[in-house]
Amino acid sequence: MSKRIVEISPSVLGADLMRLGEEIKMVESLGIHWLHLDNMDGHFAPNISFGPDFVRAIRKQTNLFLDTHLMLSRPMQYIEAYAKAGADLITVHAEAEDNCAETLEAIHALGVRAGVSINPETPVSALELLLPLCDLVLVMTVKPGFGGQTLREDCVAKIPEIRKMIERTGRDILIEVDGGVKQSNAARVIDAGADVLVMGTGLFRAEDPKSVVQSVMGA
């Protein structure tokens, strides 16, 4: 099997927000190309985080690929604001109240890449009709809403099945994994078929972030 290019998407939730500008510069200096922005409404996930203005502020500071994850019950009414704020990719949940297929189509209509995410309890069958409409599948390997949780192996087991589903479409769709990913388990997640690893505390709070990147990306 040929070696795939794996990306790390550092989650801002794991950064020191009082030093966020410095944290972003550190990410850039490590040769990372993505930045993961979790946006929560306090309803879909039991926490509240950032909004479009936060994304806009980050866009002014960096050219990193802004991987924008909307953990929102009603994402449709906000996607235009996030697109205008500078999001490069907008990922919504299959479990959200809005029609997911219509939301993915609307994201593409705004000229932004579209992703779909599934929670740990959601079967991969929920993706079947959505794959032709998305550029990325985000597999949650923890309950969404909080950082620092332990990666669930039953969720990692979904990745090979999703990879086979993607191959049947003939489309180039990335698989991203979010939740509890760190240096000690990253290889296992990559071997399962992941292309993008969301890392929060596992990167920002590591004693040597550079060694984490070298280990994961093979730099």
Side-chain angles (χ1 to χ4, degrees), residues 95-172:
E95 306 89 356
E97 294 176 22
D98 291 333
N99 181 286
C100 192
E102 292 178 2
T103 306
L104 293 170
E105 290 173 343
I107 293 170
H108 278 143
L110 291 166
V112 178
R113 296 185 195 182
V116 59
S117 181
I118 55 172
N119 284 339
E121 296 76 18
T122 302
V124 299
S125 58
L127 299 169
E128 194 75 51
L129 299 179
L130 300 174
L131 289 179
L133 304 173
C134 67
D135 305 292
L136 175 144
V137 171
L138 172 55
V139 180
M140 292 299 301
T141 46
V142 299
K143 183 177 180 179
F146 298 95
Q149 299 181 68
T150 301
L151 177 141
R152 288 177 48 168
E153 293 295 339
D154 61 320
C155 298
V156 175
K158 294 179 179 180
I159 300 172
E161 188 175 352
I162 294 171
R163 175 63 63 191
K164 291 178 181 178
M165 292 171 65
I166 290 173
E167 289 174 354
R168 289 197 295 268
T169 70
R171 301 185 67 243
D172 185 15

Side-chain angles (χ1 to χ4, degrees), residues 69-92:
H69 180 193
L70 303 189
M71 287 179 271
L72 311 178
S73 293
R74 304 301 299 269
M76 182 70 90
Q77 61 185 306
Y78 299 105
I79 58 173
E80 184 174 1
Y82 281 102
K84 289 182 177 178
D88 293 295
L89 167 74
I90 296 176
T91 296
V92 296

Side-chain angles (χ1 to χ4, degrees), residues 197-212:
L197 307 185
V198 177
M199 300 183 73
T201 56
L203 179 70
F204 285 112
R205 300 182 192 176
E207 290 186 11
D208 185 359
K210 184 176 180 179
S211 70
V212 173

